[in-house]
Amino acid sequence: MKTHPRSRAVRTPGGLSLRVEPRALIVVVLLLAAACAAGVALIGTGDAKIPAADVLRTLAGNGTAYQDFIVNELRLPRVLVGLLVGAALGLGGALFQSVSRNPLGSPDLLGLSQASTAGALVMIVLVSGSATQVTLGALAGGLVTGFALYALAWKQGVHGYRLVLVGIGVNAVMTAVNGYLLTKADMVDAARAVVWMTGSLNGRDWEQVWPLLGLCAVLVPLVLANARGLRMMEMGDDISNALGVRVQRVRLVLMVSAVLLAAAATAAAGPVSFVALTAPQLARRLTRSPGPNLVPSLCMGATLLVAADWASQRAFGADQLPVGVVTGVLGGAYLLWLLVTERRAGRI
């Protein structure tokens, strides 16, 4: 396994050894600071503008009753959902790209976002379900399709390009299913479904925060606990097995975790596109570090989504766009650039 020349080994009192790369640590700290700054700016944005100092004072419990209602009840849940959704997408995208060993391996292109959308549309269109039912439908759609994707890509193990090719086919099928479901909806449900499919943080409250926070609190430590095996798997299955890594078990645990993260993010905010694709790549370019860059990707995803939400409210004058529109435009341009660079490098 290649070791970064500037990495440092840190041993905890309990005997656990961790490898820390100073540049990656600096990037993580800066991304966290940027995410927090963007979150404070977003909380202060709106018809009732609140200065950043007052936002911080209110978050500390020293604001007026009016400020407390605006900040803690109306705007803070939206920002927290944005941070958690971005973090989940960034981490899920890093997992898929590492497991598939392909920069195009992300929930957007593998059909998982569309599958979660299909599950939500079934609840919206066929049963006029509540917000909780829509969330459960999105989770179920992502999980079922994730297991189907794993099974279809299996042939003496799951390999990168096979996973991506199967995922592209699954994505096409799910897109067609979503189009069919929309044709069966009445006008009210169709309008509701289209708004949800755009990807938006509008109207998000504490009801979306707590389930997503709980899921991330379970999955993030689980993923990080398997990070060493994931890093070894980048050298190939044979070498990883020789080093004692249970390759298929680690791969299954990480893929299930990635599917759950992507499905939960889609359930909370709709199919916000391209964050899972771009966040790991941007994080790797900033850290200049080999390996999956899980924590930097998580922080990059959170920063990107909150910054995109701020831009969707401030960059277009009186018109406020859903955050999925902004990430789609920026991410689509990035995807084109990535395809061109991969082609020039002879990898596709």
Side-chain angles (χ1 to χ4, degrees):
M1 178 172 56
K2 184 179 178 180
T3 302
H4 198 275
R6 294 185 180 179
S7 63
R8 299 288 186 272
V10 178
R11 187 173 296 277
T12 65
L16 179 64
S17 180
L18 302 175
R19 188 173 60 85
V20 178
E21 296 175 3
R23 183 184 177 92
L25 182 60
I26 292 172
V27 168
V28 167
V29 171
L30 292 177
L31 286 174
L32 288 175
C36 292
V40 170
L42 186 57
I43 290 174
T45 298
D47 294 333
K49 291 181 172 57
I50 302 177
D54 290 341
V55 170
L56 294 174
R57 189 179 302 112
T58 304
L59 291 174
N62 298 319
T64 65
Y66 171 76
Q67 290 173 337
D68 182 70
F69 176 74
I70 295 295
V71 171
N72 292 319
E73 296 300 323
L74 296 183
R75 296 180 181 172
L76 180 59
R78 173 182 179 138
V79 172
L80 291 178
V81 170
L83 288 170
L84 290 170
V85 167
L89 291 175
L91 182 58
L95 289 173
F96 276 116
Q97 290 179 20
S98 182
V99 169
S100 66
R101 302 178 200 168
N102 192 314
L104 299 179
S106 80
D108 307 289
L109 302 180
L110 296 180
L112 294 173
S113 295
Q114 290 295 332
S116 297
T117 302
L121 285 181
V122 168
M123 292 298 172
I124 294 173
V125 172
L126 300 185
V127 299
S128 297
S130 64
T132 301
Q133 290 174 316
V134 171
T135 299
L136 292 176
L139 286 171
L143 276 176
V144 170
T145 305
F147 282 115
L149 178 64
Y150 190 88
L152 291 172
W154 176 273
K155 185 179 180 182
Q156 297 179 343
V158 175
H159 299 283
Y161 279 100
R162 189 186 307 132
L163 181 67
V164 172
L165 289 174
V166 172
I168 291 173
V170 170
N171 188 58
V173 171
M174 290 294 102
T175 301
V177 169
N178 292 339
Y180 172 78
L181 288 172
L182 283 177
T183 64
K184 294 298 181 181
D186 59 34
M187 190 65 67
V188 174
D189 287 339
R192 180 186 172 198
V194 168
V195 170
W196 189 89
M197 290 174 63
T198 305
S200 175
L201 296 174
N202 291 336
R204 297 304 181 263
D205 56 26
W206 293 104
E207 184 180 353
Q208 284 82 35
V209 173
W210 298 119
L212 189 55
L213 180 61
L215 190 67
C216 289
V218 173
L219 292 179
V220 171
L222 177 63
V223 169
L224 296 181
N226 287 276
R228 180 175 176 271
L230 178 63
R231 187 175 176 84
M232 289 184 175
M233 284 163 53
E234 293 189 340
M235 299 184 296
D237 290 0
D238 293 337
I239 296 177
S240 300
N241 280 316
L243 292 173
V245 178
R246 296 181 178 179
V247 174
Q248 296 306 328
R249 187 188 71 83
V250 171
R251 182 176 285 131
L252 180 61
V253 168
L254 292 178
M255 285 195 65
V256 170
S257 299
V259 169
L260 283 172
L261 287 167
T266 303
V272 180
S273 58
F274 289 113
V275 173
L277 175 70
T278 58
Q281 295 297 314
L282 293 176
R284 179 171 293 186
R285 282 167 170 76
L286 287 177
T287 62
R288 299 178 185 173
S289 173
N293 285 276
L294 297 179
V295 175
S297 298
L298 181 152
C299 297
M300 177 62 76
T303 304
L304 282 178
L305 191 55
V306 175
D309 193 32
W310 180 87
S312 71
Q313 296 187 50
R314 297 295 299 272
F316 302 96
D319 297 326
Q320 293 189 9
L321 299 179
V323 67
V325 174
V326 177
T327 61
V329 171
L330 298 178
Y334 177 82
L335 176 60
L336 292 175
W337 176 83
L338 181 62
L339 290 171
V340 170
T341 55
E342 290 291 302
R343 182 176 181 275
R344 288 178 177 174
R347 290 189 285 266
I348 59 175

